[in-house]
Amino acid sequence: MSQLTVYQYAKCGTCRKAVKWLEAAGHELTQIPIFEEPPTVDELASLVENSGLELKKFFNTSGEVYKEMNLKDQLKGMSREEQLQLLSSNGRLIKRPIVTDGSKVTVGFKEEQFQETWG
């Protein structure tokens, strides 16, 4: 199978399920701790583009930091560049896991999506 990069948090149950699924499918993984090493602004821009998703889908909207910063209302007034900078400055704001092979990207873990993309 292929070499994949997984931005994840080791204590996250969803991340652990995703990693277990990918390993069972035979993928070699490079795991990056998203809180300590969040993607750079340029890396995030590339991930968003390759995912085909809107930038807002990369925000961990159920996370404490997102709620504490009251970002639901603030994001609407922020430029794309400001949002990318915000995400890259705080890995706790990023939805996880993010999985990429350099061209395809998935965000979060849904088995059907993983099967379609990484199966």
Side-chain angles (χ1 to χ4, degrees), residues 57-97:
K57 297 291 186 181
F58 280 74
F59 280 89
N60 180 11
T61 57
S62 62
E64 291 177 23
V65 176
Y66 182 89
K67 292 175 183 175
E68 287 171 1
M69 293 177 73
N70 196 27
L71 289 176
K72 182 177 181 180
D73 297 326
Q74 291 183 36
L75 287 179
K76 294 173 187 164
M78 294 174 74
S79 70
R80 175 181 171 82
E81 292 74 26
E82 289 172 320
Q83 290 182 31
L84 287 168
Q85 183 63 44
L86 181 62
L87 283 171
S88 72
S89 69
N90 191 336
R92 294 182 185 277
L93 289 173
I94 304 173
K95 185 170 180 160
R96 57 191 184 268

Coordinates of all heavy atoms in Angstrom, one line a residue, residues 57-97:
K57 N -14.3 23.3 7.2 CA -14.3 21.9 7.6 C -13.1 21.4 8.3 O -13.0 20.4 8.9 CB -14.5 21.0 6.4 CG -15.8 21.3 5.7 CD -17.0 20.8 6.5 CE -18.3 20.9 5.7 NZ -19.4 20.5 6.4
F58 N -12.0 22.3 8.3 CA -10.7 21.9 9.0 C -10.7 22.4 10.5 O -9.8 22.1 11.2 CB -9.5 22.5 8.2 CG -9.2 21.6 7.1 CD1 -9.9 21.6 5.9 CD2 -8.0 20.8 7.1 CE1 -9.6 20.9 4.8 CE2 -7.7 20.0 6.0 CZ -8.4 20.1 4.9
F59 N -11.8 23.1 10.9 CA -11.8 23.6 12.3 C -12.5 22.5 13.1 O -13.5 22.0 12.8 CB -12.6 24.9 12.3 CG -11.8 26.1 12.0 CD1 -11.8 26.5 10.7 CD2 -11.1 26.8 12.9 CE1 -11.0 27.6 10.3 CE2 -10.4 27.9 12.6 CZ -10.3 28.3 11.3
N60 N -11.9 22.3 14.3 CA -12.5 21.4 15.3 C -13.6 22.2 16.1 O -13.3 22.7 17.1 CB -11.4 20.9 16.2 CG -11.9 19.9 17.3 OD1 -13.0 19.5 17.2 ND2 -11.1 19.7 18.3
T61 N -14.8 22.2 15.5 CA -15.8 23.0 16.0 C -16.4 22.5 17.4 O -17.0 23.3 18.1 CB -17.0 23.2 15.0 OG1 -17.5 21.8 14.7 CG2 -16.5 23.9 13.8
S62 N -16.0 21.3 17.7 CA -16.5 20.8 19.0 C -15.4 20.9 20.1 O -15.7 20.5 21.3 CB -16.9 19.3 18.9 OG -15.8 18.5 18.5
G63 N -14.3 21.4 19.7 CA -13.2 21.5 20.7 C -13.3 22.7 21.6 O -14.0 23.7 21.4
E64 N -12.7 22.6 22.8 CA -12.7 23.6 23.8 C -12.2 24.9 23.4 O -12.7 26.0 23.7 CB -12.0 23.1 25.1 CG -12.6 22.0 25.8 CD -11.8 21.5 27.0 OE1 -11.0 22.3 27.5 OE2 -12.0 20.3 27.4
V65 N -11.0 24.9 22.7 CA -10.3 26.1 22.3 C -11.2 26.9 21.3 O -11.4 28.1 21.4 CB -9.0 25.8 21.7 CG1 -8.3 27.1 21.1 CG2 -8.1 25.1 22.7
Y66 N -11.9 26.2 20.4 CA -12.8 26.8 19.4 C -13.9 27.5 20.2 O -14.2 28.7 19.8 CB -13.3 25.7 18.5 CG -14.3 26.2 17.4 CD1 -13.7 26.6 16.2 CD2 -15.6 26.3 17.6 CE1 -14.6 27.1 15.1 CE2 -16.5 26.7 16.6 CZ -15.9 27.1 15.4 OH -16.8 27.6 14.4
K67 N -14.5 26.8 21.1 CA -15.6 27.4 21.9 C -15.1 28.6 22.8 O -15.7 29.6 22.8 CB -16.2 26.3 22.7 CG -17.0 25.3 21.9 CD -17.5 24.2 22.7 CE -18.2 23.2 21.8 NZ -18.7 22.0 22.5
E68 N -14.0 28.4 23.4 CA -13.4 29.5 24.3 C -13.1 30.7 23.5 O -13.3 31.8 24.0 CB -12.1 29.0 25.0 CG -12.4 28.0 26.1 CD -11.1 27.3 26.6 OE1 -10.0 27.7 26.2 OE2 -11.2 26.5 27.5
M69 N -12.6 30.6 22.3 CA -12.3 31.7 21.5 C -13.5 32.3 20.7 O -13.4 33.3 20.0 CB -11.2 31.3 20.4 CG -9.9 31.0 21.1 SD -8.7 30.5 19.9 CE -8.3 32.0 19.0
N70 N -14.7 31.6 20.9 CA -15.9 32.1 20.3 C -15.7 32.3 18.8 O -16.1 33.3 18.2 CB -16.4 33.4 20.9 CG -17.9 33.7 20.6 OD1 -18.6 32.8 20.3 ND2 -18.2 34.9 20.6
L71 N -15.1 31.3 18.2 CA -14.8 31.4 16.7 C -16.0 31.2 15.8 O -15.9 31.7 14.7 CB -13.7 30.4 16.4 CG -12.3 30.7 16.9 CD1 -11.4 29.6 16.6 CD2 -11.8 32.0 16.4
K72 N -17.1 30.6 16.3 CA -18.2 30.4 15.4 C -18.6 31.8 14.7 O -18.9 31.8 13.5 CB -19.4 29.8 16.2 CG -20.6 29.6 15.3 CD -21.7 28.9 16.1 CE -22.9 28.6 15.2 NZ -24.0 27.9 15.9
D73 N -18.7 32.8 15.5 CA -19.1 34.1 15.0 C -17.9 34.9 14.4 O -18.1 35.6 13.4 CB -19.7 35.0 16.2 CG -20.9 34.4 16.7 OD1 -21.7 33.7 16.0 OD2 -21.1 34.5 18.0
Q74 N -16.7 34.7 14.9 CA -15.6 35.4 14.4 C -15.1 35.0 13.0 O -14.6 35.8 12.2 CB -14.4 35.3 15.4 CG -14.6 36.0 16.7 CD -13.4 35.9 17.6 OE1 -12.3 36.0 17.1 NE2 -13.6 35.8 18.9
L75 N -15.2 33.7 12.7 CA -14.7 33.2 11.4 C -15.3 33.9 10.2 O -14.6 34.1 9.2 CB -14.9 31.7 11.3 CG -14.0 30.8 12.2 CD1 -14.3 29.3 12.0 CD2 -12.5 31.1 11.9
K76 N -16.5 34.2 10.3 CA -17.2 34.8 9.2 C -16.6 36.1 8.7 O -16.6 36.5 7.6 CB -18.7 35.1 9.5 CG -19.5 33.8 9.7 CD -20.9 34.1 10.2 CE -21.5 32.7 10.6 NZ -22.7 32.9 11.4
G77 N -16.0 36.9 9.7 CA -15.3 38.1 9.4 C -13.8 38.0 9.1 O -13.2 39.0 8.8
M78 N -13.3 36.8 9.1 CA -11.9 36.6 8.9 C -11.6 36.2 7.4 O -12.4 35.5 6.8 CB -11.3 35.5 9.8 CG -11.4 35.9 11.3 SD -10.9 34.5 12.3 CE -9.1 34.5 12.1
S79 N -10.5 36.7 6.9 CA -10.1 36.3 5.5 C -9.6 34.9 5.6 O -9.3 34.3 6.6 CB -9.0 37.2 5.0 OG -7.8 37.0 5.7
R80 N -9.5 34.3 4.4 CA -8.9 32.9 4.3 C -7.5 32.9 4.9 O -7.2 31.9 5.6 CB -8.9 32.5 2.8 CG -8.3 31.2 2.5 CD -8.3 30.9 1.0 NE -7.5 29.7 0.7 CZ -7.9 28.4 0.8 NH1 -9.1 28.2 1.2 NH2 -7.1 27.4 0.5
E81 N -6.7 33.9 4.6 CA -5.3 33.9 5.1 C -5.3 34.0 6.6 O -4.5 33.3 7.3 CB -4.6 35.1 4.5 CG -4.3 34.9 3.0 CD -5.6 35.2 2.1 OE1 -6.5 35.9 2.6 OE2 -5.6 34.6 1.0
E82 N -6.2 34.8 7.2 CA -6.3 34.9 8.7 C -6.7 33.5 9.3 O -6.2 33.1 10.3 CB -7.3 36.0 9.1 CG -6.8 37.4 8.8 CD -7.8 38.4 9.0 OE1 -9.0 38.2 8.6 OE2 -7.5 39.5 9.5
Q83 N -7.6 32.8 8.6 CA -8.1 31.5 9.1 C -7.0 30.5 9.1 O -6.8 29.7 10.0 CB -9.3 31.1 8.4 CG -10.6 31.9 8.7 CD -11.8 31.4 7.9 OE1 -11.9 30.2 7.6 NE2 -12.7 32.3 7.6
L84 N -6.3 30.5 7.9 CA -5.1 29.6 7.8 C -4.1 29.8 8.8 O -3.5 28.9 9.5 CB -4.5 29.6 6.4 CG -5.4 29.0 5.3 CD1 -4.8 29.4 3.9 CD2 -5.4 27.5 5.4
Q85 N -3.8 31.1 9.1 CA -2.8 31.5 10.1 C -3.2 31.0 11.5 O -2.4 30.5 12.3 CB -2.5 33.0 10.1 CG -1.5 33.5 11.0 CD -0.1 32.9 10.7 OE1 0.3 32.9 9.6 NE2 0.6 32.5 11.8
L86 N -4.5 31.2 11.8 CA -5.1 30.8 13.1 C -4.9 29.3 13.3 O -4.5 28.9 14.3 CB -6.5 31.3 13.2 CG -7.3 30.9 14.5 CD1 -6.6 31.6 15.6 CD2 -8.7 31.3 14.3
L87 N -5.3 28.5 12.3 CA -5.2 27.1 12.4 C -3.7 26.6 12.5 O -3.4 25.8 13.4 CB -5.8 26.4 11.1 CG -7.3 26.3 11.0 CD1 -7.7 25.9 9.6 CD2 -7.8 25.5 12.1
S88 N -2.8 27.2 11.8 CA -1.4 26.8 11.8 C -0.8 27.2 13.2 O 0.2 26.6 13.6 CB -0.6 27.3 10.7 OG -0.4 28.7 10.8
S89 N -1.4 28.2 13.8 CA -0.8 28.6 15.1 C -1.3 27.8 16.3 O -0.7 28.0 17.4 CB -1.1 30.1 15.3 OG -2.4 30.3 15.6
N90 N -2.3 27.0 16.1 CA -2.9 26.3 17.3 C -3.5 25.0 16.8 O -4.6 24.9 16.3 CB -3.9 27.1 18.0 CG -4.3 26.5 19.3 OD1 -4.2 25.3 19.5 ND2 -4.8 27.3 20.2
G91 N -2.7 23.9 16.9 CA -3.2 22.6 16.4 C -4.4 22.1 17.1 O -5.1 21.2 16.6
R92 N -4.8 22.7 18.3 CA -6.0 22.3 18.9 C -7.3 22.7 18.2 O -8.4 22.3 18.5 CB -6.0 22.8 20.4 CG -5.0 22.1 21.2 CD -5.0 22.5 22.7 NE -3.9 22.0 23.4 CZ -3.9 20.8 24.0 NH1 -4.9 20.0 23.8 NH2 -2.8 20.4 24.6
L93 N -7.1 23.7 17.3 CA -8.2 24.2 16.5 C -8.5 23.3 15.3 O -9.5 23.5 14.7 CB -8.0 25.6 16.1 CG -8.0 26.7 17.2 CD1 -7.5 28.0 16.6 CD2 -9.4 26.8 17.8
I94 N -7.6 22.4 15.0 CA -7.7 21.7 13.7 C -8.4 20.4 13.9 O -8.1 19.6 14.9 CB -6.3 21.4 13.1 CG1 -5.5 22.7 12.9 CG2 -6.4 20.6 11.8 CD1 -4.1 22.5 12.5
K95 N -9.4 20.1 13.1 CA -10.1 18.8 13.1 C -9.2 17.7 12.8 O -8.3 17.9 11.9 CB -11.3 18.8 12.1 CG -12.1 17.6 12.2 CD -13.4 17.7 11.4 CE -14.2 16.4 11.5 NZ -15.6 16.6 11.2
R96 N -9.3 16.6 13.5 CA -8.3 15.5 13.3 C -9.1 14.2 13.2 O -10.2 14.1 13.6 CB -7.3 15.5 14.4 CG -8.0 15.4 15.8 CD -7.0 15.7 16.9 NE -7.7 15.5 18.2 CZ -8.3 16.4 18.9 NH1 -8.3 17.6 18.5 NH2 -8.9 16.1 20.0
P97 N -8.4 13.2 12.6 CA -7.1 13.2 12.0 C -7.2 13.8 10.6 O -8.2 13.7 9.9 CB -6.7 11.8 12.0 CG -8.0 11.0 11.8 CD -9.0 11.9 12.6

